Amino acid sequence: MSTLSSSIFRIRGIIVTKLSYATAEDFTGRPTTEIAQALLGTTLLYRTPTITVGGLIVEAEAYLGKHDTAAHAFNGRRSAFSEPLYRGPGTLYIYRLRANYLLDIVTQPAETPEGILIRAIEPSLAPAQMIANRGKNGVLVSNGPGKLMQALGIQDQAMNLMPINDSDLAIDLGHRKTPRKILALPRVGVNPDAASGQLPLRFVVAGNPYLSDIKKRDWQDDHGWKA
């Protein structure tokens, strides 16, 4: 599996991962399925004027555009709602589904409407603030796509259509963990009887308690990360 790359440097002989945010180039140049897997273990963060909150990405779904029956762009559908999908790689697609705001990051060149839905994160930056934002604690803070947006404090579409590098959101490649095992599973909330309904396009860190549908008996003490 390909991985998003970050640079390293030495301080007094110690190898340190340099703070490195994903750019448009990290969201193209290879299949969306590979990009989704490479995002697992990186840090999704949101910068406010007073605090930065965020967490490790533990679950992400790939949507493969015009030929994917679960995609908003299936059969070339295009509307004001789905317009971000047709923009360049790294464009934010923030939309509302029922009462929840969800975060999708566009992949591939413009006019190739593919993307990745961030479905769950494990809090790692200002977790107390995330708990306060959500009004919940434990895994309920961010074990779902709408929950993680509440935990980050994003409850509008102000950043919709923005390139991620021009927004207050970022994916930090320098502060990351490596999954011990990645599982490929069917996506959640799509029509299972449609042609793409059972494709294994949801990628998860096996054993992480913050997954959206994991049973407690399957939680791993190390949350599924390599030492």
Side-chain angles (χ1 to χ4, degrees):
M1 181 194 73
S2 298
T3 57
L4 297 170
S5 60
S6 59
S7 56
I8 59 175
F9 60 100
R10 288 181 177 269
I11 297 178
R12 296 178 182 177
I14 301 173
I15 296 177
V16 180
T17 305
K18 185 179 181 181
L19 183 67
S20 177
Y21 292 158
T23 65
E25 289 72 23
D26 291 300
F27 296 101
T28 190
R30 54 198 163 134
T32 296
T33 51
E34 290 188 17
I35 299 170
Q37 292 175 75
L39 287 174
L40 298 178
T42 64
T43 299
L44 173 67
L45 59 87
Y46 177 54
R47 297 159 292 195
T48 77
T50 57
I51 197 168
T52 297
V53 295
L56 302 166
I57 298 174
V58 298
E59 182 173 350
E61 288 181 338
Y63 287 86
L64 305 182
K66 298 177 181 180
H67 304 292
D68 182 347
T69 58
H72 291 174
F74 176 57
N75 269 346
R77 286 195 301 254
R78 189 168 187 167
S79 66
F81 182 91
S82 62
E83 180 60 27
L85 288 170
Y86 289 86
R87 301 298 178 91
T91 298
L92 299 177
Y93 178 28
I94 297 174
Y95 60 95
R96 193 169 186 176
L97 181 64
R98 294 181 282 276
N100 297 307
Y101 290 94
L102 308 185
L103 172 63
D104 195 297
I105 304 174
V106 177
T107 58
Q108 309 313 331
E111 303 299 322
T112 306
E114 300 188 13
I116 296 168
L117 173 67
I118 308 300
R119 280 198 55 87
I121 61 176
E122 177 183 331
S124 60
L125 297 173
Q129 183 62 53
M130 296 175 72
I131 290 170
N133 290 345
R134 264 285 286 154
K136 304 283 186 180
N137 55 30
V139 298
L140 294 177
V141 172
S142 53
N143 66 341
K147 296 175 185 178
L148 74 86
M149 290 289 273
Q150 291 176 19
L152 293 175
I154 302 171
Q155 289 298 281
D156 58 43
Q157 293 175 277
M159 291 183 288
N160 188 43
L161 276 168
M162 293 180 66
I164 190 169
N165 294 122
D166 294 339
S167 77
D168 291 323
L169 280 165
I171 293 178
D172 182 1
L173 310 179
H175 291 80
R176 64 182 303 158
K177 292 187 177 182
T178 302
R180 178 179 294 108
K181 182 179 181 181
I182 293 174
L183 300 179
L185 305 170
R187 292 169 294 186
V188 176
V190 305
N191 181 357
D193 298 321
S196 306
Q198 292 296 315
L199 293 179
L201 296 175
R202 177 166 61 103
F203 303 100
V204 308
V205 178
N208 191 282
Y210 287 87
L211 300 183
S212 62
D213 65 347
I214 192 171
K215 291 179 169 50
K216 193 169 184 178
R217 65 171 180 265
D218 296 325
W219 293 6
Q220 294 180 9
D221 291 341
D222 59 7
H223 291 195
W225 304 116
K226 286 185 178 179

